[in-house]
Amino acid sequence: MQFGLTEEQQAVKDAARRVAQERFAPRAAEIDVTGEFPWDNVRVMREAGFLGMAFPEAYGGGGADHVSHIVVKEEIARACLSTCTIMAAQYLGSLPLMLTGTPEQKERYLRRLASGEILAAFGLTEAGAGSDAGSIRTTARRDGDEYVLNGAKCFVTNGGVADFYTVFAKTDLKAGARGISAFIVEKGTPGFTFGKAENKMGIRGSATRELIFEDCHIRGENRLGEEGTGYKLALRTLDHTRPGVGAEAVGVAQAALDASLKYARERVVFGSPLSDKQAIAFMLADMATEIEAARLLVYRVAAMMDAGEPSVTVAASQAKLFASEMAHRVVHKALQIHGGYGYMKDFPLERYYRDQRITELYEGTSEIQRMIIAGNLLRANR
Ligand SMILES: Cc1cc2nc3c(=O)[nH]c(=O)nc-3n(C[C@H](O)[C@H](O)[C@H](O)COP(=O)(O)OP(=O)(O)OC[C@H]3O[C@@H](n4cnc5c(N)ncnc54)[C@H](O)[C@@H]3O)c2cc1C
């Protein structure tokens, strides 16, 4: 049993692992090669209740605790990170609604999101504003009972395949980050179209697309929270979703270790298995130790959220930062252990190597996590 988990949470993890290994792992390489969006895996996640597992029971969700949610993500990422990213974006795109939606907004959308009938996406990043999200330029102009959106979002996960979009736009261009508001935009709204579908290095089965708004009229009641509170809402959302990226990193790293252990036992060089060589065995030991350290950081922040800790900002950034960079070191060693075969598409290592890299970038790069952690440290110790 994994340290830190209750028997029930361990059972959830074991069950998720069975589903992920039986249903997602066998097709992960094919999805990577074709870059197709895996609707079959979406259906499996829907049936298994993964897509809405952390959504409130009152709206048909699973009502799961954060630790259980995290361990399911870890197991799905261990099998196929593209598939896990779809589940992660479902939560990311829906969380602003869960955090600040009115009962009417929740009634209108949350049930369908919780059941996985429709997919969600989160549109914050723009071509000119990624890390510096406060300087987005998409505008939402008041027009009677409506808002009119103009601008474009880039790199949006689940873009094109989702029906429900949380979009951040400026209602006051002069107010900086305090001029940002959040809106619900449905696919099919006139003036809302999709642009470039990204051709990515990794997580190639995950849809990453540009959102374009040209005089897109949405109802005033589609605003989430008060005008000017969108930036805070985005940050609050990311506090709760960054541990999930940490779990993704732990899952991929664990897959790389699993493959390396198998390979090191089987591959014979200089008359004996690789695992007999101390240099290789030490790499395996370091990989396992780092994975466990990251896993505990990720589980810790999830447990803090379950305990109702008022602020998890620093713990969430630490978990994401350490886990994603840990996964980078682990896949590097794993590929080295596989030698030239690690570089070939016949083995999963080169996919893990490419897939892992995203965990250091999305939902705030490692530099942004360091800025958050250092900023909090320096403010607290003034
Ligand atoms: C596959 C993929 C999926 C994504 N999904 C989504 C999504 O669903 N929704 C969404 O809104 N966004 C999404 N993103 C966007 C992602 O969050 C941004 O790419 C990320 O925040 C970085 O922004 P940027 O790419 O503009 O880089 P920049 O902000 O231009 O940064 C470039 C480099 O400079 C560094 N840097 C920036 N500022 C500083 C500083 N002050 N000090 C030191 N270094 C700094 C960064 O860390 C980075 O290394 C996705 C991105 C990718 C690649």
Side-chain angles (χ1 to χ4, degrees):
M1 186 148 131
Q2 173 64 49
F3 178 79
L5 299 186
T6 63
E7 267 180 40
E8 206 180 354
Q9 289 161 346
Q10 183 67 52
V12 168
K13 189 172 197 283
D14 294 343
R17 186 177 178 190
R18 277 193 296 278
V19 174
Q21 290 302 319
E22 280 168 24
R23 308 295 295 274
F24 305 149
R27 250 179 42 77
E30 182 191 338
I31 290 166
D32 174 59
V33 170
T34 60
E36 68 173 297
F37 183 80
W39 282 109
D40 53 341
N41 289 354
V42 171
R43 275 191 292 278
V44 172
M45 288 197 285
R46 205 180 273 154
E47 281 157 23
F50 293 158
L51 287 172
M53 71 174 289
F55 289 50
E57 279 175 301
Y59 291 93
D65 56 278
H66 289 98
V67 173
S68 297
H69 189 208
I70 284 292
V71 297
V72 168
K73 282 205 178 119
E74 177 190 338
E75 290 300 338
I76 298 177
R78 187 173 175 178
C80 175
L81 188 56
S82 290
T83 301
C84 189
T85 302
I86 299 166
M87 176 178 168
Q90 181 76 353
Y91 190 56
L92 177 69
S94 307
L95 195 54
L97 171 66
M98 290 191 249
L99 291 174
T100 60
T102 61
E104 294 73 31
Q105 288 171 331
K106 289 182 182 170
E107 201 53 54
R108 194 167 345 128
Y109 299 106
L110 208 43
R111 279 178 203 288
R112 285 185 292 151
L113 290 163
S115 68
E117 180 192 330
I118 57 170
L119 294 181
F122 179 90
L124 176 62
T125 304
E126 298 180 1
S131 304
D132 183 13
S135 51
I136 56 169
R137 304 301 297 171
T138 295
T139 54
R141 179 177 51 81
R142 255 272 185 212
D143 182 18
D145 290 346
E146 297 185 333
Y147 284 94
V148 185
L149 265 58
N150 276 290
K153 298 287 166 185
C154 69
F155 299 167
V156 175
T157 302
N158 283 355
V161 295
D163 291 289
F164 176 95
Y165 294 80
T166 298
V167 176
F168 296 86
K170 287 252 164 97
T171 37
D172 182 352
L173 266 175
K174 292 190 216 93
R178 287 205 177 88
I180 297 177
S181 307
F183 299 92
I184 297 166
V185 186
E186 291 180 43
K187 185 179 186 172
T189 306
F192 172 29
T193 53
F194 302 108
K196 187 175 174 220
E198 301 296 341
N199 184 6
K200 302 188 297 295
M201 168 184 182
I203 54 164
R204 292 177 52 76
S206 158
T208 313
R209 193 110 186 239
E210 196 181 9
L211 315 181
I212 298 169
F213 303 97
E214 290 164 311
D215 287 333
C216 172
H217 288 251
I218 54 170
R219 291 176 301 188
E221 66 233 41
N222 278 25
R223 194 188 65 227
L224 281 166
E226 295 302 316
E227 270 193 16
T229 61
Y231 188 68
K232 270 197 176 155
L233 178 60
L235 297 188
R236 233 174 113 202
T237 301
L238 292 167
D239 277 354
H240 285 83
T241 56
R242 282 179 179 145
V245 181
E248 293 175 8
V250 171
V252 178
Q254 183 65 53
L257 175 62
D258 296 341
S260 302
L261 284 167
K262 183 169 182 291
Y263 192 78
R265 284 197 199 97
E266 289 169 1
R267 174 73 169 169
V268 173
V269 291
F270 294 100
S272 67
L274 271 180
S275 53
D276 285 358
K277 278 66 180 170
Q278 200 175 50
I280 301 293
F282 278 15
M283 277 200 243
L284 294 168
D286 288 343
M287 290 156 74
T289 306
E290 284 218 75
I291 292 170
E292 198 55 23
R295 181 177 281 129
L296 291 178
L297 271 182
V298 170
Y299 290 7
R300 179 186 74 130
V301 61
M304 285 166 72
M305 292 195 282
D306 286 331
E309 195 75 35
S311 173
V312 295
T313 305
V314 172
S317 287
Q318 287 174 330
K320 183 195 184 271
L321 171 66
F322 186 79
S324 59
E325 294 194 347
M326 169 285 295
H328 189 140
R329 292 188 292 272
V330 165
V331 294
H332 176 87
K333 288 195 175 94
L335 201 146
Q336 201 64 20
I337 290 172
H338 281 71
Y341 292 96
Y343 202 69
M344 304 302 163
K345 288 198 182 281
D346 301 331
F347 285 82
L349 250 302
E350 65 86 36
R351 171 165 50 88
Y352 300 152
Y353 195 86
R354 289 181 286 106
D355 280 355
Q356 169 281 324
R357 200 61 179 81
I358 191 57
T359 64
E360 296 174 90
L361 298 170
Y362 60 15
E363 300 200 23
T365 61
S366 295
E367 289 72 28
I368 294 305
Q369 308 312 324
R370 288 190 168 88
M371 280 166 59
I372 293 168
I373 299 162
N376 273 273
L377 274 175
L378 294 165
R379 271 196 299 280
N381 291 309
R382 227 195 311 247

PDB file of all heavy atoms in Angstrom, residues 7 17 25 34 79 85 100 104 110 134 136 159 161 164 192 213 240 270-271 273 277 292 302 314 317 323 344 361 366:
ATOM      1  N   GLU A   7      -7.088   3.013   2.711  1.00  0.00           N
ATOM      2  CA  GLU A   7      -7.387   1.776   1.971  1.00  0.00           C
ATOM      3  C   GLU A   7      -8.296   2.070   0.772  1.00  0.00           C
ATOM      4  O   GLU A   7      -8.129   1.520  -0.316  1.00  0.00           O
ATOM      5  CB  GLU A   7      -8.090   0.778   2.885  1.00  0.00           C
ATOM      6  CG  GLU A   7      -7.112  -0.160   3.552  1.00  0.00           C
ATOM      7  CD  GLU A   7      -7.791  -1.163   4.452  1.00  0.00           C
ATOM      8  OE1 GLU A   7      -8.857  -1.686   4.081  1.00  0.00           O
ATOM      9  OE2 GLU A   7      -7.233  -1.404   5.536  1.00  0.00           O
ATOM     10  N   ARG A  17      -5.704   1.985 -12.255  1.00  0.00           N
ATOM     11  CA  ARG A  17      -4.550   1.390 -12.929  1.00  0.00           C
ATOM     12  C   ARG A  17      -4.982   0.257 -13.863  1.00  0.00           C
ATOM     13  O   ARG A  17      -4.497   0.155 -14.997  1.00  0.00           O
ATOM     14  CB  ARG A  17      -3.565   0.853 -11.881  1.00  0.00           C
ATOM     15  CG  ARG A  17      -2.294   0.360 -12.502  1.00  0.00           C
ATOM     16  CD  ARG A  17      -1.303  -0.088 -11.477  1.00  0.00           C
ATOM     17  NE  ARG A  17      -0.122  -0.594 -12.133  1.00  0.00           N
ATOM     18  CZ  ARG A  17       0.841  -1.233 -11.521  1.00  0.00           C
ATOM     19  NH1 ARG A  17       0.789  -1.430 -10.235  1.00  0.00           N
ATOM     20  NH2 ARG A  17       1.871  -1.668 -12.197  1.00  0.00           N
ATOM     21  N   ALA A  25      -3.169   2.056 -22.235  1.00  0.00           N
ATOM     22  CA  ALA A  25      -1.760   1.772 -22.542  1.00  0.00           C
ATOM     23  C   ALA A  25      -1.581   1.114 -23.928  1.00  0.00           C
ATOM     24  O   ALA A  25      -0.689   1.528 -24.690  1.00  0.00           O
ATOM     25  CB  ALA A  25      -1.139   0.912 -21.446  1.00  0.00           C
ATOM     26  N   THR A  34      -0.436   8.857 -34.809  1.00  0.00           N
ATOM     27  CA  THR A  34      -1.465   9.444 -35.681  1.00  0.00           C
ATOM     28  C   THR A  34      -1.875  10.842 -35.237  1.00  0.00           C
ATOM     29  O   THR A  34      -2.379  11.630 -36.040  1.00  0.00           O
ATOM     30  CB  THR A  34      -2.740   8.569 -35.709  1.00  0.00           C
ATOM     31  OG1 THR A  34      -3.254   8.491 -34.367  1.00  0.00           O
ATOM     32  CG2 THR A  34      -2.458   7.171 -36.220  1.00  0.00           C
ATOM     33  N   ALA A  79      -0.198   5.415 -18.166  1.00  0.00           N
ATOM     34  CA  ALA A  79      -0.565   4.642 -19.369  1.00  0.00           C
ATOM     35  C   ALA A  79      -0.533   5.504 -20.627  1.00  0.00           C
ATOM     36  O   ALA A  79      -0.061   5.059 -21.683  1.00  0.00           O
ATOM     37  CB  ALA A  79      -1.958   4.045 -19.192  1.00  0.00           C
ATOM     38  N   THR A  85      -4.384  14.260 -20.144  1.00  0.00           N
ATOM     39  CA  THR A  85      -4.510  15.698 -20.381  1.00  0.00           C
ATOM     40  C   THR A  85      -5.962  16.081 -20.701  1.00  0.00           C
ATOM     41  O   THR A  85      -6.421  17.162 -20.343  1.00  0.00           O
ATOM     42  CB  THR A  85      -3.554  16.120 -21.523  1.00  0.00           C
ATOM     43  OG1 THR A  85      -2.232  15.762 -21.123  1.00  0.00           O
ATOM     44  CG2 THR A  85      -3.584  17.610 -21.783  1.00  0.00           C
ATOM     45  N   THR A 100     -17.206  29.696  -8.868  1.00  0.00           N
ATOM     46  CA  THR A 100     -17.952  30.971  -8.780  1.00  0.00           C
ATOM     47  C   THR A 100     -19.270  30.982  -9.552  1.00  0.00           C
ATOM     48  O   THR A 100     -19.906  32.029  -9.608  1.00  0.00           O
ATOM     49  CB  THR A 100     -17.124  32.161  -9.328  1.00  0.00           C
ATOM     50  OG1 THR A 100     -16.834  31.875 -10.686  1.00  0.00           O
ATOM     51  CG2 THR A 100     -15.869  32.421  -8.567  1.00  0.00           C
ATOM     52  N   GLU A 104     -27.885  28.892 -11.303  1.00  0.00           N
ATOM     53  CA  GLU A 104     -28.471  28.744 -12.655  1.00  0.00           C
ATOM     54  C   GLU A 104     -27.399  28.287 -13.646  1.00  0.00           C
ATOM     55  O   GLU A 104     -27.645  27.402 -14.479  1.00  0.00           O
ATOM     56  CB  GLU A 104     -29.064  30.076 -13.147  1.00  0.00           C
ATOM     57  CG  GLU A 104     -30.267  30.586 -12.378  1.00  0.00           C
ATOM     58  CD  GLU A 104     -29.907  31.144 -10.992  1.00  0.00           C
ATOM     59  OE1 GLU A 104     -28.782  31.678 -10.854  1.00  0.00           O
ATOM     60  OE2 GLU A 104     -30.727  31.025 -10.072  1.00  0.00           O
ATOM     61  N   LEU A 110     -23.231  22.151 -15.450  1.00  0.00           N
ATOM     62  CA  LEU A 110     -22.370  21.276 -14.646  1.00  0.00           C
ATOM     63  C   LEU A 110     -22.734  19.786 -14.742  1.00  0.00           C
ATOM     64  O   LEU A 110     -21.846  18.933 -14.715  1.00  0.00           O
ATOM     65  CB  LEU A 110     -22.381  21.755 -13.183  1.00  0.00           C
ATOM     66  CG  LEU A 110     -21.130  21.450 -12.345  1.00  0.00           C
ATOM     67  CD1 LEU A 110     -19.840  21.693 -13.096  1.00  0.00           C
ATOM     68  CD2 LEU A 110     -21.163  22.238 -11.043  1.00  0.00           C
ATOM     69  N   GLY A 134      -1.745  38.522 -17.132  1.00  0.00           N
ATOM     70  CA  GLY A 134      -2.456  39.768 -16.817  1.00  0.00           C
ATOM     71  C   GLY A 134      -2.526  40.721 -18.002  1.00  0.00           C
ATOM     72  O   GLY A 134      -3.348  41.641 -18.023  1.00  0.00           O
ATOM     73  N   ILE A 136      -3.335  40.006 -21.178  1.00  0.00           N
ATOM     74  CA  ILE A 136      -4.122  39.523 -22.331  1.00  0.00           C
ATOM     75  C   ILE A 136      -4.821  40.699 -23.013  1.00  0.00           C
ATOM     76  O   ILE A 136      -5.076  41.731 -22.372  1.00  0.00           O
ATOM     77  CB  ILE A 136      -5.174  38.446 -21.914  1.00  0.00           C
ATOM     78  CG1 ILE A 136      -6.108  38.983 -20.806  1.00  0.00           C
ATOM     79  CG2 ILE A 136      -4.502  37.153 -21.506  1.00  0.00           C
ATOM     80  CD1 ILE A 136      -7.306  38.097 -20.544  1.00  0.00           C
ATOM     81  N   GLY A 159      -9.321  22.309 -27.156  1.00  0.00           N
ATOM     82  CA  GLY A 159      -9.835  23.297 -28.113  1.00  0.00           C
ATOM     83  C   GLY A 159     -10.395  22.587 -29.338  1.00  0.00           C
ATOM     84  O   GLY A 159      -9.752  21.710 -29.911  1.00  0.00           O
ATOM     85  N   VAL A 161     -12.643  20.322 -29.586  1.00  0.00           N
ATOM     86  CA  VAL A 161     -13.431  19.138 -29.217  1.00  0.00           C
ATOM     87  C   VAL A 161     -14.378  19.444 -28.055  1.00  0.00           C
ATOM     88  O   VAL A 161     -15.351  18.727 -27.836  1.00  0.00           O
ATOM     89  CB  VAL A 161     -12.535  17.922 -28.855  1.00  0.00           C
ATOM     90  CG1 VAL A 161     -11.755  17.447 -30.067  1.00  0.00           C
ATOM     91  CG2 VAL A 161     -11.586  18.245 -27.711  1.00  0.00           C
ATOM     92  N   PHE A 164     -17.767  23.471 -24.050  1.00  0.00           N
ATOM     93  CA  PHE A 164     -17.867  24.478 -22.982  1.00  0.00           C
ATOM     94  C   PHE A 164     -16.494  25.132 -22.786  1.00  0.00           C
ATOM     95  O   PHE A 164     -15.519  24.436 -22.491  1.00  0.00           O
ATOM     96  CB  PHE A 164     -18.301  23.756 -21.700  1.00  0.00           C
ATOM     97  CG  PHE A 164     -18.367  24.621 -20.480  1.00  0.00           C
ATOM     98  CD1 PHE A 164     -19.563  25.208 -20.083  1.00  0.00           C
ATOM     99  CD2 PHE A 164     -17.228  24.843 -19.702  1.00  0.00           C
ATOM    100  CE1 PHE A 164     -19.620  26.001 -18.947  1.00  0.00           C
ATOM    101  CE2 PHE A 164     -17.279  25.632 -18.569  1.00  0.00           C
ATOM    102  CZ  PHE A 164     -18.481  26.206 -18.188  1.00  0.00           C
ATOM    103  N   PHE A 192     -17.607  32.778 -32.865  1.00  0.00           N
ATOM    104  CA  PHE A 192     -16.587  31.977 -32.175  1.00  0.00           C
ATOM    105  C   PHE A 192     -16.180  30.832 -33.104  1.00  0.00           C
ATOM    106  O   PHE A 192     -16.988  29.958 -33.419  1.00  0.00           O
ATOM    107  CB  PHE A 192     -17.164  31.454 -30.862  1.00  0.00           C
ATOM    108  CG  PHE A 192     -16.287  30.455 -30.137  1.00  0.00           C
ATOM    109  CD1 PHE A 192     -14.897  30.477 -30.253  1.00  0.00           C
ATOM    110  CD2 PHE A 192     -16.853  29.492 -29.300  1.00  0.00           C
ATOM    111  CE1 PHE A 192     -14.098  29.568 -29.582  1.00  0.00           C
ATOM    112  CE2 PHE A 192     -16.065  28.573 -28.620  1.00  0.00           C
ATOM    113  CZ  PHE A 192     -14.692  28.612 -28.767  1.00  0.00           C
ATOM    114  N   PHE A 213     -12.328  34.918 -31.612  1.00  0.00           N
ATOM    115  CA  PHE A 213     -13.582  35.626 -31.312  1.00  0.00           C
ATOM    116  C   PHE A 213     -13.663  36.881 -32.174  1.00  0.00           C
ATOM    117  O   PHE A 213     -12.794  37.752 -32.086  1.00  0.00           O
ATOM    118  CB  PHE A 213     -13.640  36.008 -29.825  1.00  0.00           C
ATOM    119  CG  PHE A 213     -13.491  34.814 -28.915  1.00  0.00           C
ATOM    120  CD1 PHE A 213     -12.258  34.496 -28.356  1.00  0.00           C
ATOM    121  CD2 PHE A 213     -14.569  33.979 -28.667  1.00  0.00           C
ATOM    122  CE1 PHE A 213     -12.100  33.382 -27.558  1.00  0.00           C
ATOM    123  CE2 PHE A 213     -14.427  32.853 -27.864  1.00  0.00           C
ATOM    124  CZ  PHE A 213     -13.195  32.550 -27.306  1.00  0.00           C
ATOM    125  N   HIS A 240      -5.544  24.840  -7.725  1.00  0.00           N
ATOM    126  CA  HIS A 240      -6.174  23.527  -7.520  1.00  0.00           C
ATOM    127  C   HIS A 240      -5.836  22.517  -8.608  1.00  0.00           C
ATOM    128  O   HIS A 240      -6.058  21.321  -8.430  1.00  0.00           O
ATOM    129  CB  HIS A 240      -7.709  23.682  -7.453  1.00  0.00           C
ATOM    130  CG  HIS A 240      -8.154  24.261  -6.152  1.00  0.00           C
ATOM    131  ND1 HIS A 240      -8.149  25.612  -5.904  1.00  0.00           N
ATOM    132  CD2 HIS A 240      -8.576  23.662  -5.009  1.00  0.00           C
ATOM    133  CE1 HIS A 240      -8.568  25.819  -4.662  1.00  0.00           C
ATOM    134  NE2 HIS A 240      -8.834  24.666  -4.105  1.00  0.00           N
ATOM    135  N   PHE A 270      28.110  -7.315 -22.142  1.00  0.00           N
ATOM    136  CA  PHE A 270      29.343  -7.832 -21.528  1.00  0.00           C
ATOM    137  C   PHE A 270      29.054  -9.075 -20.683  1.00  0.00           C
ATOM    138  O   PHE A 270      29.554  -9.235 -19.570  1.00  0.00           O
ATOM    139  CB  PHE A 270      30.040  -6.750 -20.674  1.00  0.00           C
ATOM    140  CG  PHE A 270      30.571  -5.599 -21.483  1.00  0.00           C
ATOM    141  CD1 PHE A 270      29.871  -4.404 -21.570  1.00  0.00           C
ATOM    142  CD2 PHE A 270      31.790  -5.717 -22.177  1.00  0.00           C
ATOM    143  CE1 PHE A 270      30.347  -3.345 -22.318  1.00  0.00           C
ATOM    144  CE2 PHE A 270      32.281  -4.648 -22.925  1.00  0.00           C
ATOM    145  CZ  PHE A 270      31.553  -3.468 -23.002  1.00  0.00           C
ATOM    146  N   GLY A 271      28.136  -9.924 -21.199  1.00  0.00           N
ATOM    147  CA  GLY A 271      27.906 -11.230 -20.573  1.00  0.00           C
ATOM    148  C   GLY A 271      26.940 -11.266 -19.412  1.00  0.00           C
ATOM    149  O   GLY A 271      26.684 -12.333 -18.844  1.00  0.00           O
ATOM    150  N   PRO A 273      23.191  -9.233 -17.379  1.00  0.00           N
ATOM    151  CA  PRO A 273      22.152  -8.207 -17.542  1.00  0.00           C
ATOM    152  C   PRO A 273      22.641  -6.820 -17.121  1.00  0.00           C
ATOM    153  O   PRO A 273      23.497  -6.699 -16.238  1.00  0.00           O
ATOM    154  CB  PRO A 273      21.029  -8.674 -16.609  1.00  0.00           C
ATOM    155  CG  PRO A 273      21.301 -10.090 -16.313  1.00  0.00           C
ATOM    156  CD  PRO A 273      22.781 -10.301 -16.447  1.00  0.00           C
ATOM    157  N   LYS A 277      25.069  -4.103 -13.561  1.00  0.00           N
ATOM    158  CA  LYS A 277      26.066  -3.022 -13.567  1.00  0.00           C
ATOM    159  C   LYS A 277      25.659  -1.987 -12.534  1.00  0.00           C
ATOM    160  O   LYS A 277      24.538  -1.462 -12.572  1.00  0.00           O
ATOM    161  CB  LYS A 277      26.134  -2.351 -14.953  1.00  0.00           C
ATOM    162  CG  LYS A 277      26.989  -3.074 -15.969  1.00  0.00           C
ATOM    163  CD  LYS A 277      26.443  -4.388 -16.350  1.00  0.00           C
ATOM    164  CE  LYS A 277      27.322  -5.108 -17.370  1.00  0.00           C
ATOM    165  NZ  LYS A 277      26.859  -6.502 -17.539  1.00  0.00           N
ATOM    166  N   GLU A 292       9.380   8.839  -5.715  1.00  0.00           N
ATOM    167  CA  GLU A 292       8.662   8.751  -4.441  1.00  0.00           C
ATOM    168  C   GLU A 292       8.598  10.119  -3.755  1.00  0.00           C
ATOM    169  O   GLU A 292       7.557  10.488  -3.184  1.00  0.00           O
ATOM    170  CB  GLU A 292       9.358   7.722  -3.539  1.00  0.00           C
ATOM    171  CG  GLU A 292       8.530   7.220  -2.395  1.00  0.00           C
ATOM    172  CD  GLU A 292       7.175   6.637  -2.804  1.00  0.00           C
ATOM    173  OE1 GLU A 292       7.003   6.203  -3.959  1.00  0.00           O
ATOM    174  OE2 GLU A 292       6.273   6.650  -1.950  1.00  0.00           O
ATOM    175  N   ALA A 302      -2.651  17.567  -2.234  1.00  0.00           N
ATOM    176  CA  ALA A 302      -4.035  17.092  -2.394  1.00  0.00           C
ATOM    177  C   ALA A 302      -4.673  16.883  -1.022  1.00  0.00           C
ATOM    178  O   ALA A 302      -5.833  17.250  -0.804  1.00  0.00           O
ATOM    179  CB  ALA A 302      -4.049  15.799  -3.205  1.00  0.00           C
ATOM    180  N   VAL A 314       1.581  27.857  -2.554  1.00  0.00           N
ATOM    181  CA  VAL A 314       3.000  27.488  -2.542  1.00  0.00           C
ATOM    182  C   VAL A 314       3.155  25.975  -2.653  1.00  0.00           C
ATOM    183  O   VAL A 314       3.968  25.479  -3.448  1.00  0.00           O
ATOM    184  CB  VAL A 314       3.692  28.031  -1.268  1.00  0.00           C
ATOM    185  CG1 VAL A 314       5.111  27.499  -1.150  1.00  0.00           C
ATOM    186  CG2 VAL A 314       3.692  29.558  -1.290  1.00  0.00           C
ATOM    187  N   SER A 317       2.577  24.895  -6.201  1.00  0.00           N
ATOM    188  CA  SER A 317       3.695  25.225  -7.095  1.00  0.00           C
ATOM    189  C   SER A 317       4.897  24.323  -6.823  1.00  0.00           C
ATOM    190  O   SER A 317       5.576  23.883  -7.753  1.00  0.00           O
ATOM    191  CB  SER A 317       4.106  26.699  -6.907  1.00  0.00           C
ATOM    192  OG  SER A 317       3.133  27.532  -7.494  1.00  0.00           O
ATOM    193  N   ALA A 323       7.892  17.835  -9.253  1.00  0.00           N
ATOM    194  CA  ALA A 323       7.476  16.622  -9.969  1.00  0.00           C
ATOM    195  C   ALA A 323       7.807  16.715 -11.455  1.00  0.00           C
ATOM    196  O   ALA A 323       8.289  15.747 -12.060  1.00  0.00           O
ATOM    197  CB  ALA A 323       5.985  16.378  -9.767  1.00  0.00           C
ATOM    198  N   MET A 344      14.420   4.834 -30.353  1.00  0.00           N
ATOM    199  CA  MET A 344      13.576   4.292 -31.427  1.00  0.00           C
ATOM    200  C   MET A 344      12.112   4.243 -31.011  1.00  0.00           C
ATOM    201  O   MET A 344      11.804   4.034 -29.844  1.00  0.00           O
ATOM    202  CB  MET A 344      14.031   2.866 -31.794  1.00  0.00           C
ATOM    203  CG  MET A 344      15.487   2.779 -32.176  1.00  0.00           C
ATOM    204  SD  MET A 344      15.880   3.853 -33.576  1.00  0.00           S
ATOM    205  CE  MET A 344      17.663   3.927 -33.447  1.00  0.00           C
ATOM    206  N   LEU A 361       5.848  23.035 -18.687  1.00  0.00           N
ATOM    207  CA  LEU A 361       5.418  24.235 -19.415  1.00  0.00           C
ATOM    208  C   LEU A 361       4.002  24.673 -19.088  1.00  0.00           C
ATOM    209  O   LEU A 361       3.773  25.838 -18.746  1.00  0.00           O
ATOM    210  CB  LEU A 361       5.537  23.976 -20.931  1.00  0.00           C
ATOM    211  CG  LEU A 361       6.953  23.692 -21.439  1.00  0.00           C
ATOM    212  CD1 LEU A 361       6.907  23.215 -22.892  1.00  0.00           C
ATOM    213  CD2 LEU A 361       7.826  24.924 -21.333  1.00  0.00           C
ATOM    214  N   SER A 366       8.143  26.290 -15.150  1.00  0.00           N
ATOM    215  CA  SER A 366       8.929  26.124 -13.911  1.00  0.00           C
ATOM    216  C   SER A 366       9.390  27.478 -13.370  1.00  0.00           C
ATOM    217  O   SER A 366       9.445  27.683 -12.150  1.00  0.00           O
ATOM    218  CB  SER A 366      10.146  25.233 -14.188  1.00  0.00           C
ATOM    219  OG  SER A 366       9.712  23.931 -14.519  1.00  0.00           O
TER     220      SER A 366
END
